[in-house]
Amino acid sequence: MRYMDYLKTEKFPLFWCAGCGNGTVLGAIVRAFEELELTRENTVVVTGIGCWGKADDYVTTNSFHGTHGRALAFGTGIKLANPDLDVVVLMGDGDGVTIGGNHFIHAARRNVDLTAIVVNNFNYGMTGGQYSATTPETRITSTSRLGHIEQGFDICRLAEAAGAPFVARATPHGPVQMKNLIKEGIRKKGFAMIEVLSPCPTHYGKSNRLGGAPEMLKWFDEHSVSVEKARRMAPEELQGKIVVGKMVDREAEDYGTKYRRIQQAAQERERRGA
Amino acid sequence: MKRDGEVVFTLGNDAITAGAIAAGARFYAGYPITPSSEVAELSSIRLPAVGGVYVQMEDELGSIAAIIGASLAGKKAYTATSGPGFSLMQENLGVAVMGEVPCVIINVQRSGPSTGLATKPAQGDLMQAKWGTHGDHGIIVLSPSSVQECYDLMILAFNFSEKYRTPVVFLADENVGHMRERYVRWAVTPADIVDRKAPSGDPERYRPYDFEGESDGIAPLACYGSPYVFRINGSGHDESGAPCGRPDNADKFIRHYEDKFLKNIDDITRVNSFGMDDAEYAIITFGCSTRAAKAAMKQARAKEIRVGVVQIVTLWPFPEAVVSSVGERVKGIVVPELNLGQLRGEVRKCVSSDIPVVGVNKVDSRIIFPDEVLKGLEEVVR
């Protein structure tokens, strides 16, 4: 299948605002699907709620659109019930690490073989640009007009600390890198989390005078530092920088593989009449 | 259901688990909470032994989400909880309603509100089971009064959930869940089991919510991984699952979420009657309070009060016609329940205002005793 075959082009134009990064992420996802030769029948795209939660409107694979923040829990059930499926869970920063933060850390810890793609635009776009758990301190949003006073999550560090065996970050300024990281994440046997920073010129960009989409993309580019380079930099040098690339890629047996051993042991026990 | 099988002496939560697995359930996701935890513990042992999956989630929001996902991936799925957890599940219970996803949610009721009197018996979630999740909808709620019914009705709960593409709430209570008594674990045959209607024909034309062309009014449901690619949507959607905000479409589907039960109410209704043939009075009740009602009936009949017991097993959709006809035959009704009158209100709606409907209500953490029911009955008789 070509990447366009994974898209419901009849639904175009995309619902998202001009300059939003979501279209670029969706493009990277379907290109990754093409390169991995995923089938529509065997793939399930699970979405949350919010701007990025509309992504399932445009895919031709199986899909599930549920509630705000719970996408990983729905995905966990789908994957554990049928381990042969490729389950790709799409969440925003609200879904992923704010209302759904508990599911996020436990999905990472549990290491179910899911691919989570968290598009982080630092605010709640759909409801009018309120602050989320990733909004950096001092930033202006529609509910922090005088400057945000909470610290924002670093989603990648959160995933790593929770035990995710694959953690990466990309920005729409590097769509090929993004596609490659998504591809690796889908291929990874275990919980893979790819954070994609995305410009929201309509709300976050406007409130913080970051300019339009081109300026925001340029800002991502200018502030991006590769994982390799970041390892050689001092913490103070990394202040205000965006580390992009693959932070974590380690071997860790996934939940489903371990659980199959539990099933075998339980069945053996049953046969012995224990 | 009188069938031969292994005689087991055990507690209700054990029979619930056995019933689920006998019904074909192969996936459990849950979060432990008393008085339902034995269902989790026994499921964690028994499911892997039959090739099923037990997963303990981080909370009840995730638990019900996981069983919805598992159901769509082709496994009959269930969870068990009690009041505080059932409150958390209301969010995604709505997803199962709107997504029309078969699954069974066991609520072994305990005293509320909030953490309540952990973990004393109560029957205070009758209304929550119907109305707890926001928006208009129907749902099936079954309630057992004995260990045997825990087993029998769990099988029925799965069958209904598959047949009507719906979440089914299994409304047990602490008393029934923790009570030990004898039951017959009859062996199910394929004829006892209902599986969801699968789609047929051209996969390109499959629409997971196209119920109108179906003789039973229920759209077929594929599972993820089959040739039938499909989309499940907890937002307002059309027949294909695509979001749709058209007023006529919204009207059609929201009515469908209730109509599919009302149109089939005769099939869904289960009511057990005891001594109603010559009854001048009726005790209408459900769950654990049925036991006190039956004992009170015997005591009353010894005093020559002609009374019968009507146990409402299918609480929702509420069997209005059955209760109305009871109301036409008796001079008065007593409704014992471990809450402040949730069932009584429904009964009141169904019978003439000339008929007294007296509640026997307890919320002091103790079950209702037969003499308390009898006292209520004697008030009606006077």
Side-chain angles (χ1 to χ4, degrees), chain B residues 18 62 127 137:
Chain B
M127 286 294 160
H137 63 279

Side-chain angles (χ1 to χ4, degrees), chain B residues 233-286:
Chain B
N233 200 334
S235 298
H237 53 255
D238 64 13
E239 292 80 358
S240 72
C244 180
R246 273 196 347 258
D248 63 317
N249 184 76
D251 186 78
K252 179 175 98 173
F253 276 98
I254 294 169
R255 289 182 191 281
H256 170 64
Y257 303 139
E258 177 151 46
D259 286 349
K260 67 178 180 179
F261 304 112
L262 298 181
K263 282 178 183 159
N264 293 292
I265 193 159
D266 292 342
D267 180 48
I268 299 167
T269 295
R270 294 287 185 284
V271 170
N272 293 329
S273 295
F274 307 94
M276 283 300 294
D277 289 346
D278 64 343
E280 293 180 338
Y281 299 92
I283 306 169
I284 301 183
T285 189
F286 72 107

